[in-house]
Amino acid sequence: MEKIKKSLPLQIFIALGLGIVVGLIMLAAGEGAVNFANEYIKPFGTIFLNLLKFIVVPIVITSIIQGVVSLSDIKKVGTIGLRTILYYFCTTAFAIIIGLIFANLFKGAYAVLETSGLEYEAAEPTKFMDTLVNIFPSNLFQPMVDATMLQVIVIALFVGFGIIIAGEKGLPFKTWIDSAYEVFMVIMSGIIKITPIAVFCMMVPVVASNGPQILGSLAMVLLTAYIAYIVHVMFTYSIAVKTLGHMSPIAFLKGALPAFLFAFSSTSSIGTLPVTMECAENLGARKDVASFTLPLGATINMDGTAIYQGVAAIFIATCFGINLTLGQMVTIILTATLASIGTAGTPGAGMIMLAMVLQSVGLPVEGIALIMGVDKIFDMGRTGVNVVGDLSAAVIISDYETRREAKEAAK
Ligand code: ASP
């Protein structure tokens, strides 16, 4: 009992298990109970998610500014940024390759679903140049109000650079930011303490509403995605963390568990960000590095989403009786990497971006309707993978920086 009281991951784990059990009971109890779960249990999960969303922008802004200022060198920030982005690109490409391998291995076992009469309206694709332009804010406050994370990151970087360049005159502003950061962190720790209750309240309605579909004709494709998710976490991240970050994979996975479980039940990388930051600190990642790599990762690094997009593309092709060529698979690797970068860290965003992947190889977009009903279940796993990927970067880049500094000091 004492152990449970002390350990947040254990509490979250128990809450998750309880949520599944209660969800299944409600599912068996019939429609009335399922409606009860959706109307009266789910809102408590939503309250918690709202609280996290409210705290995430101030935490991201203040922690990035602190991180940049403590690096005290604009060039250094640039190098860390480039390394992080390169790592994110590589792991995402790896993720999608793993997804495609398993999807091709298992596609013979997929139930071929009826494709006539399907409807799905794809969102208008954003042009690359527009995406580029949209990274830069035209207003100081709007991005914070809308929680447009890339713009928030850019604002924080500029303010951080401003403080460094302003020197002595910028110090009072930095002190104010330091103090604001401490205050927001205290609030965040308070919110995080109630995570287990939130996880329970989010799991019950998901299980109660989605139960039958898991057992239905989509079981095989869901299983494929989950096998690929697990392989990516167990192999790609473990090897990366061990070889590049000099950390034991077991210690890493254990430390990342609370963030994984929370992402799994909330299906929002951005909402999970405060929990991810806490995990990074517990894993010994440097604050100046984690404060930058994690918000960036929650916005652009979506390995789980890339896996899902690859698996879903192959499944949809199979249902339409289309055999994809090797060239088309390579196109999927490229577009799914880009599509996952463009995916917002919010529930269900990966499915919207799937349209782009399908279009790139001429697959019918209305195929998305085949898997739309179980997107929540895909989303739970892919969001979990997404945040573990972000954490692996925080650990690896931290280790790299520490070693580099030690080497420089020894010169
Ligand atoms: N829900 C995912 C996330 O927040 C994005 C997605 O839908 O793939 O990371």
Side-chain angles (χ1 to χ4, degrees), residues 267-270 302 305 343-351 379 382-383 386:
T267 62
S268 169
S269 295
I270 296 283
M302 309 271 165
T305 304
T343 302
T346 52
M351 191 185 78
D379 201 2
R382 65 185 191 240
T383 313
N386 291 347

Side-chain angles (χ1 to χ4, degrees), residues 4 6-15 196 254-255 257-259 261 279 282:
I4 296 177
K6 275 196 195 132
S7 160
L8 186 66
L10 204 59
Q11 289 170 13
I12 299 179
F13 208 72
I14 293 170
K254 223 169 136 191
L257 193 63
L261 292 176
C279 286
N282 294 340

